[in-house]
Amino acid sequence: MLRRVIVLRYGHRPKRDKRISTHLALVARAFGAHEIWFDSKDNKLERKLNQVNENFGGNFIVKTGVDWLEALKNAKKMEWCIVHLTMYGLPLPQVIEKIRKEERNLLILVGGPKVPRVFFEIADYNVSITNQPHSEVAAIAVFLDWFYSGREFDFKFEGARLEIVPSERGKVVRVLR
Amino acid sequence: MLRRVIVLRYGHRPKRDKRISTHLALVARAFGAHEIWFDSKDNKLERKLNQVNENFGGNFIVKTGVDWLEALKNAKKMEWCIVHLTMYGLPLPQVIEKIRKEERNLLILVGGPKVPRVFFEIADYNVSITNQPHSEVAAIAVFLDWFYSGREFDFKFEGARLEIVPSERGKVVRVLR
């Protein structure tokens, strides 16, 4: 069975992080994660992503109001592979081959500037996407792109209402239903 | 001479986009662009990135309040290669090899949901990073990662005050001066 890839976002503040969290969820979906979990409750964010599923297909799951510590403990108990994306970790190119070979479900932790110490301790892999400060949005995208070796460009999202047709110039949208 | 890689961000609204624009600038810097230009004036954003240069090195340039149309016309006149990142364009894997071979300076256009029609027309390449909706932050990161074929993991930022030492667990920061 195909393993699940789930992103857990720590430290979501519904008002302040509105756009960053939306970007994170959209990126997780577009680059092939199956679910994203946020620690604070945020109905708007859930609705927004369900709307995107409705239009562009697939069954990406957004959960908000998730108890992150409980989620971590469960993941550990069920022996999922836990990857923590942090600028302090080992460079992606050094560890990605090992992670690709894991056959366990994958829980990817991302935080803002500050994350609980336990993230570093519980993770099977602390992974840096360069050791420069940048963005959890970029980190998730580049991690998944490497993880899937670029296959995300061929992913299909079943049941879409709209389909973008790649074109050299301009916007071509196919309306499927 | 090494060509310049410059990101032009259209439609920056200093208040609403504060965090997204900061992430964009940090990602451009971390993934090897030399400059980022924003259309609206934003001193805070400039200061923030200068602070990052001060701490983490390099001489990444942030310009705000740039007349985007003027900038586009100039780029065209100087025969720069113009790449527009858009979910409607041709898939990255299809065009990246051609773009890597270009020897001209590179101007990378990113917008929010709406961009002027001229972007599609003036661009040498309209490039999609998947045809799903996601994030300009992710688009820039993945584009540059492919453009540099992962070499951004080895980029050095000269004159840094702080250096992150990649580690398996925890945070190791070397203070250089």
Side-chain angles (χ1 to χ4, degrees):
Chain A
M1 209 186 91
L2 189 72
R3 61 178 171 171
R4 305 282 292 170
V5 175
I6 297 169
V7 175
L8 172 59
R9 156 61 154 181
Y10 170 84
H12 169 58
R13 295 154 302 178
K15 282 224 172 106
R16 222 195 124 182
D17 297 335
K18 198 172 59 165
R19 299 191 59 225
I20 291 288
S21 294
T22 305
H23 283 226
L24 258 182
L26 290 172
V27 164
R29 176 185 172 278
F31 287 84
H34 302 96
E35 306 187 23
I36 192 167
W37 300 345
F38 292 89
D39 51 352
S40 311
K41 191 67 195 162
D42 189 337
N43 293 320
K44 256 184 154 169
L45 183 56
E46 292 186 16
R47 275 200 303 277
K48 193 172 233 165
L49 266 289
N50 290 337
Q51 194 55 50
V52 173
N53 285 344
E54 180 62 28
N55 284 329
F56 292 96
N59 37 33
F60 183 71
I61 293 169
V62 179
K63 285 187 196 163
T64 68
V66 170
D67 179 328
W68 64 268
L69 189 55
E70 207 53 42
L72 270 187
K73 283 182 190 164
N74 273 333
K76 204 68 190 173
K77 205 189 304 169
M78 294 184 293
E79 298 191 344
W80 292 8
C81 173
I82 302 179
V83 169
H84 174 212
L85 301 182
T86 162
M87 69 189 286
Y88 300 99
L90 295 179
L92 179 66
Q94 243 178 70
V95 292
I96 190 65
E97 206 41 64
K98 267 196 193 168
I99 299 175
R100 282 194 195 117
K101 280 183 191 144
E102 293 274 359
E103 287 175 355
R104 304 179 281 165
N105 283 348
L106 198 61
L107 184 70
I108 307 169
L109 311 179
V110 283
K114 277 178 196 162
V115 297
R117 189 156 192 79
V118 64
F119 276 28
F120 288 93
E121 287 156 7
I122 207 170
D124 295 291
Y125 303 94
N126 286 291
V127 180
S128 60
I129 316 288
T130 84
N131 299 108
Q132 295 294 321
H134 57 87
S135 164
E136 53 274 31
V137 179
I140 280 287
V142 172
F143 177 82
L144 289 173
D145 174 55
W146 281 58
F147 177 69
Y148 288 117
S149 307
R151 291 194 308 280
E152 72 277 10
F153 284 93
D154 302 316
F155 287 165
K156 297 284 169 235
F157 291 79
E158 299 297 326
R161 194 175 71 76
L162 303 175
E163 194 181 70
I164 309 289
V165 182
S167 40
E168 223 173 309
R169 225 160 281 280
K171 303 182 183 182
V172 184
V173 181
R174 195 178 282 145
V175 180
L176 300 170
R177 59 175 168 82
Chain B
M1 209 185 91
L2 187 72
R3 60 177 172 170
R4 302 285 291 172
V5 175
I6 297 170
V7 174
L8 172 59
R9 154 62 152 179
Y10 169 83
H12 170 58
R13 296 154 302 179
K15 281 222 174 107
R16 223 194 123 182
D17 298 335
K18 197 172 60 164
R19 301 192 56 225
I20 291 288
S21 294
T22 305
H23 282 225
L24 258 182
L26 289 173
V27 164
R29 175 184 172 279
F31 287 84
H34 302 96
E35 307 187 22
I36 191 167
W37 301 345
F38 293 89
D39 50 353
S40 311
K41 191 67 195 163
D42 190 337
N43 293 320
K44 255 182 154 171
L45 183 56
E46 293 186 14
R47 275 200 302 276
K48 192 173 234 165
L49 266 288
N50 290 336
Q51 193 56 49
V52 172
N53 285 343
E54 180 62 29
N55 284 328
F56 292 95
N59 37 34
F60 183 71
I61 293 169
V62 179
K63 285 186 194 166
T64 68
V66 170
D67 181 327
W68 64 267
L69 189 55
E70 207 53 41
L72 271 188
K73 284 183 190 162
N74 274 335
K76 204 71 192 172
K77 205 187 306 169
M78 294 184 292
E79 299 190 344
W80 291 9
C81 174
I82 302 179
V83 170
H84 174 211
L85 301 183
T86 162
M87 69 188 286
Y88 300 98
L90 296 179
L92 179 67
Q94 242 178 69
V95 292
I96 190 66
E97 206 41 63
K98 266 195 193 167
I99 300 174
R100 281 193 196 119
K101 280 182 190 145
E102 293 274 359
E103 286 176 355
R104 305 179 281 166
N105 284 348
L106 198 59
L107 184 69
I108 306 169
L109 310 180
V110 284
K114 278 177 194 161
V115 298
R117 189 156 191 78
V118 64
F119 276 29
F120 288 92
E121 288 156 6
I122 207 170
D124 296 290
Y125 303 93
N126 287 290
V127 180
S128 61
I129 316 289
T130 84
N131 299 110
Q132 296 293 322
H134 58 86
S135 164
E136 54 273 32
V137 179
I140 282 288
V142 173
F143 177 82
L144 290 173
D145 175 54
W146 282 57
F147 177 70
Y148 287 118
S149 308
R151 290 195 308 281
E152 73 276 12
F153 284 93
D154 303 316
F155 286 166
K156 298 283 169 235
F157 290 80
E158 300 296 325
R161 193 176 70 77
L162 302 175
E163 194 181 67
I164 308 289
V165 183
S167 40
E168 226 174 309
R169 225 159 280 282
K171 306 181 180 182
V172 185
V173 181
R174 194 178 283 144
V175 180
L176 300 170
R177 60 174 168 83

